[in-house]
Amino acid sequence: MAPQSPQFGSVADVAERLAGVGYLASTAVATTVYLADRLGKPLLVEGPAGVGKTELAKAVAAATGSGLVRLQCYEGIDEARALYEWNHAKQLLRITAGKQGESWDQTRDDVFSEEFLLPRPLLTAIRRTDPTVLLVDEIDKADVEVEGLLLEVLSDFQVTVPEMGTITAVRRPIAVLTSNSTRELSEALKRRCLFLHLDFPDAELERRIVASRVPELADALVDALVRTVRVLRGLELRKSPSVAETIDWGRTLLALGLDTLDDEAVRATLGVVLKHQSDTTKAATELRLN
């Protein structure tokens, strides 16, 4: 693989360009993204759901003008869905049709060729020649076998297709893996990555985020919104409000023409940030909503 120029010039450049696409990054986040780009290392981002892990990968793609290739992991995902598979129906038609006087070796070489290959996200990212961000989202939901597939990809940015040989990236993608920490990832996978833990932002950063995404919202209402969300996150709910839901709550208040977050406003709009009835009941009790 030929050497390639880094996408970012400095930590400050990372922070500025991410802010330019609407992602306000802390110094720790900007530094880790800069190092992942500069060192050509995958970035593993862990943290609770809703803190902006996936949004970080999207923001890096937007800030660098890169294409985003996303592998959404889930229980039971396999090599065919993550890496590649063969178009078996088309292969069968080709074999059935045949060619006059063609040997089996010739047929086999034909059906295991580019025409019949169906690339999935990992192979797609490897083969792209344009700047690319590879997002492996919620890797902790996949089985450990999928981690094994990733080891070759993340070590050498190459994929081996037995029938075709080894396909090596011409241009190394920026790889971002996210995890909600629902299970422990293997040490082999972690060794290949830089690590970043993302938690919910502090009050000041969250105020800045909401203000940047909902600039029409009055400062006093932004403050009240962020204070209330932080109280909700301290209640040990089934699902704490995410940063995106804080932003949605702000947009909801704006759409309803509300200029204060009183008990009536909270009670009417609590479903924007809490998605379980037990959480709503607990919040109403703790916040003493009538």
Side-chain angles (χ1 to χ4, degrees), residues 92-170:
L92 183 59
L93 287 172
R94 167 64 181 84
I95 293 170
T96 302
K99 290 183 180 178
Q100 194 75 24
E102 183 179 63
S103 69
W104 165 243
D105 287 342
Q106 291 172 313
T107 302
R108 181 189 58 204
D109 291 343
D110 192 13
V111 297
F112 288 110
S113 62
E114 183 69 34
E115 180 183 353
F116 300 90
L117 185 67
L118 297 175
R120 298 309 182 195
L122 294 181
L123 182 56
T124 297
I126 288 293
R127 300 175 82 185
R128 279 177 56 88
T129 56
D130 294 328
T132 303
V133 171
L134 169 62
L135 168 60
V136 182
D137 213 8
E138 299 184 302
I139 179 62
D140 53 320
K141 288 187 177 180
D143 298 328
V144 293
E145 290 78 7
V146 174
E147 289 188 37
L149 292 177
L150 285 171
L151 295 182
E152 181 183 18
V153 174
L154 299 180
S155 293
D156 304 310
F157 285 91
Q158 65 181 29
V159 168
T160 299
V161 180
E163 298 84 357
M164 296 177 64
T166 299
I167 302 171
T168 303
V170 175

Side-chain angles (χ1 to χ4, degrees), residues 45 53 69 77 101 130 149 156 168 170 182 188 195 204 223 230 240 253 273 287:
V45 188
K53 301 185 297 296
V69 177
I77 190 173
D130 294 328
L149 292 177
D156 304 310
T168 303
V170 175
T182 58
F195 178 79
E204 177 55 31
D223 289 343
R230 293 180 69 80
S240 293
L253 299 177
V273 290
L287 296 176

Side-chain angles (χ1 to χ4, degrees), residues 22-55:
Y23 192 98
L24 301 183
S26 66
T27 301
V29 170
T31 300
T32 311
V33 169
Y34 171 74
L35 291 174
D37 174 49
R38 179 67 55 158
L39 302 177
K41 298 273 288 185
L43 174 58
L44 171 61
V45 188
E46 284 191 347
V51 296
K53 301 185 297 296
T54 301
E55 288 303 312

Side-chain angles (χ1 to χ4, degrees), residues 3 6 18 23 43 58 77 86 90 110 145 151 172 197 204 211 214 218 220 257 263 275-276 281 286 290:
L18 290 181
Y23 192 98
L43 174 58
K58 293 179 179 179
I77 190 173
W86 293 104
K90 190 174 181 180
D110 192 13
E145 290 78 7
L151 295 182
R172 181 186 295 265
H197 179 80
E204 177 55 31
V214 197
D263 288 357
K275 309 302 169 64
H276 296 280
T281 301
E286 295 291 336
N290 297 323

